[in-house]
């Protein structure tokens, strides 16, 4: 009953149980945090706007993104993945979501930022529906924990419009 | 001389009984492991509810050897979610983030583009030749939870199969020789 093997087994089981319990508690403690992030995105310029030879519209724009995501960070946060996506509806597609810019925030000190950038990923429509198109810009964030459940949420900013003519 | 035969018989029956108990124990362990796995499959609705990250393409979020818990729900895929997908004709599933979604008005079919956080290019270079989008049937699940380091056990066992046989042998020996 009290051999070395049994004691080692009991100790290992106990250690793993405690570790699992601590991970679960750390993950659960994220629920106690109620974040209040803020964000603002401005379209400063439409750099160019054209129809590709294959018939799809493509636009390039310059964005100014200001955000304060400091309240998302807790002791169980490894990093926050943040991105800005353009979202719009076309006759063919009920939803088009195109990521324009993304970034990884490694710590709370970097969570209040201001960036001036042209779109990192190409803004291409499936078809030719972008002239005069109204779209939303949405700031999404995905919180990656040190362990446990991942969180995600977003701020939707409506009321952007693309020009009527190619340029 | 009858008592010697009796003793031999009783010893034999004890050994037989013990052997039977060991076999039942072994069966219990195997079937309960199988039950947990199949139960997880039912709850998460995903073919493989747990995957091990094999590459560094999602660093610094997910490192090699981390474990991801998957969930396959009816909810449509959206940008930013981390999905596990399987390219037609290839065995190894890939864990990457969705960066573009086009969802059809009539069929609800989604056209999805993915990219690894640590990669410079999107995944069109990984897809089959001429394939521009992933569709719903490629997606095996989306990552909902995360546990660091635990996957190293499986990585080591697949890369050094000797370890696997040693471990299985040792466990089997332990179960068979244990007496309580």
């Amino acid at each position: 009953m009290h051999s070395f093997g049994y004691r080692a087994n009991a100790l290992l089981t106990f250690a793993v149980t405690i570790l699992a319990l601590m991970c679960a508690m750390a993950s659960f403690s994220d629920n106690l945090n109620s974040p209040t992030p803020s964000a603002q995105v401005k379209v400063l310029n439409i750099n160019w706007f054209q129809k590709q030879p294959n018939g799809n519209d493509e636009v390039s724009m310059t964005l100014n993104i200001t955000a304060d995501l400091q309240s998302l960070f807790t002791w169980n946060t490894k990093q926050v993945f943040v991105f800005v996506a353009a979202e719009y509806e076309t006759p063919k597609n009920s939803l088009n979501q195109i990521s324009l810019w993304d970034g990884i925030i490694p710590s709370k000190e970097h969570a209040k930022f201001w960036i001036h950038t042209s779109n990192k990923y190409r803004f291409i429509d499936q078809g030719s529906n972008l002239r005069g198109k109204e779209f939303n810009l949405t700031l999404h964030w995905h919180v990656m924990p040190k362990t446990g459940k991942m969180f995600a949420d977003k701020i939707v900013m409506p009321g952007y419009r693309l020009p009527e003519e190619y340029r | 001389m009858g008592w010697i035969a009796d003793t031999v018989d009783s010893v034999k029956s004890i050994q037989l009984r013990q052997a039977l108990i060991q076999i039942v124990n072994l069966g219990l362990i195997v079937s309960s492991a199988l039950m947990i796995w199949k139960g997880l499959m039912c709850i998460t609705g995903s073919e493989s509810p747990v995957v091990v990250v094999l590459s560094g393409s999602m660093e610094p979020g997910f490192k090699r050897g981390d474990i991801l818990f998957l969930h396959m729900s009816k909810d449509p895929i959206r940008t930013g979610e981390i999905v596990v997908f399987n390219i037609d004709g290839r065995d190894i599933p890939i864990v990457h983030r969705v960066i573009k979604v086009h969802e059809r008005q009539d069929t609800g079919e989604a056209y999805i583009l993915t990219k690894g956080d640590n990669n410079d290019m999107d995944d069109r270079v990984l897809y089959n030749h001429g394939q521009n989008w992933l569709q719903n049937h490629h997606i095996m699940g989306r990552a909902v939870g995360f546990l660091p380091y635990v996957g190293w056990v499986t990585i080591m066992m697949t890369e050094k199969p000797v370890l696997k046989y040693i471990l299985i042998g040792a466990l089997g020996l332990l179960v068979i020789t244990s007496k309580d």
Side-chain angles (χ1 to χ4, degrees):
Chain A
M1 272 313 268
H2 298 285
S3 67
F4 175 75
Y6 273 100
R7 287 185 174 165
N9 189 7
L11 190 68
L12 190 71
T13 313
F14 186 63
V16 170
T17 314
I18 294 292
L19 194 64
L21 204 67
M22 278 166 67
C23 289
M25 273 161 65
S27 177
F28 178 75
S29 73
D30 280 342
N31 291 313
L32 306 176
N33 183 37
S34 48
T36 50
S38 64
Q40 207 184 2
V41 181
K42 276 192 214 116
V43 178
L44 295 182
N45 186 32
I46 305 292
N47 303 330
W48 45 265
F49 182 23
Q50 65 186 33
K51 190 175 189 166
Q52 293 180 331
N54 61 16
N56 294 335
D57 280 352
E58 175 169 9
V59 60
S60 164
M61 52 176 69
T62 304
L63 299 169
N64 185 338
I65 303 159
T66 316
D68 182 358
L69 304 177
Q70 284 175 314
S71 58
L72 293 173
F73 280 81
T74 67
W75 65 340
N76 190 32
T77 306
K78 187 203 276 178
Q79 64 167 37
V80 172
F81 183 86
V82 59
F83 67 99
V84 174
E87 297 174 356
Y88 60 95
E89 195 185 332
T90 56
K92 194 167 79 170
N93 294 334
S94 56
L95 178 76
N96 299 277
Q97 274 187 314
I98 296 175
S99 184
L100 299 181
W101 170 85
D102 62 17
I104 293 169
I105 306 174
S107 67
K108 193 169 184 168
E109 289 76 54
H110 299 93
K112 193 171 181 176
F113 61 92
W114 177 95
I115 187 168
H116 190 89
T117 176
S118 62
N119 52 322
K120 182 172 163 187
Y121 304 114
R122 298 173 75 179
F123 188 165
I124 305 175
D125 185 39
Q126 277 193 332
S128 175
N129 312 292
L130 289 185
R131 273 171 299 172
K133 174 59 76 183
E134 268 194 42
F135 64 102
N136 294 342
L137 283 177
T138 310
L139 185 95
H140 296 256
W141 58 86
H142 285 245
V143 179
M144 280 199 195
K146 292 210 169 87
T147 179
K149 194 175 177 302
M150 297 189 271
F151 287 87
D153 208 347
K154 61 188 174 182
I155 299 177
V156 182
M157 288 158 277
Y160 298 88
R161 184 185 276 276
L162 287 168
E164 299 285 345
E165 294 302 323
Y166 296 124
R167 59 171 88 163
Chain B
M1 284 296 151
W3 62 275
I4 294 177
D6 281 354
T7 322
V8 167
D9 277 351
S10 73
V11 165
K12 268 185 185 163
S13 83
I14 286 172
Q15 277 173 342
L16 186 70
R17 182 171 293 197
Q18 215 154 41
L20 282 175
I21 288 173
Q22 307 292 19
I23 289 169
V24 169
N25 268 344
L26 206 66
L28 267 177
I29 290 170
V30 171
S31 54
S32 56
L34 204 68
M35 268 163 65
I36 291 173
W37 181 250
K38 292 286 172 186
L40 270 177
M41 268 169 83
C42 279
I43 294 167
T44 62
S46 175
E47 253 177 85
S48 53
V50 175
V51 292
V52 177
V53 178
L54 292 176
S55 81
S57 62
M58 285 295 281
E59 280 194 38
F62 302 145
K63 292 195 179 66
R64 191 170 145 80
D66 292 347
I67 274 191
L68 297 181
F69 296 92
L70 303 187
H71 188 78
M72 190 71 197
S73 61
K74 289 273 178 286
D75 300 340
I77 305 284
R78 291 290 176 255
T79 51
E81 290 173 339
I82 297 162
V83 294
V84 178
F85 60 90
N86 226 336
I87 308 280
D88 296 332
R90 269 180 261 171
D91 300 331
I92 299 173
I94 303 174
V95 184
H96 278 175
R97 193 185 296 274
V98 176
I99 61 167
K100 289 183 189 181
V101 174
H102 295 280
E103 197 172 77
R104 285 281 183 274
Q105 196 92 255
D106 41 0
T107 56
E109 183 72 26
Y111 292 77
I112 297 158
L113 180 64
T114 53
K115 174 181 171 287
D117 287 359
N118 199 25
N119 294 351
D120 293 329
M121 299 282 289
D122 61 43
D123 285 349
R124 290 212 169 117
V125 286
L126 295 178
Y127 300 166
N128 284 326
H129 187 71
Q131 181 183 3
N132 277 334
W133 305 99
L134 293 177
Q135 281 170 292
N136 296 48
H137 67 269
H138 294 114
I139 308 290
M140 291 168 66
R142 76 190 83 189
V144 290
F146 166 76
L147 201 62
Y149 307 121
V150 184
W152 272 112
V153 184
T154 29
I155 291 187
M156 265 161 21
M157 283 202 281
T158 25
E159 282 179 2
K160 296 243 182 328
V162 187
L163 276 178
K164 184 162 59 185
Y165 299 126
I166 290 174
L167 194 74
I168 291 174
L171 281 179
L173 212 67
L174 212 69
V175 170
I176 288 170
T177 56
S178 71
K179 298 190 181 92
D180 23 339

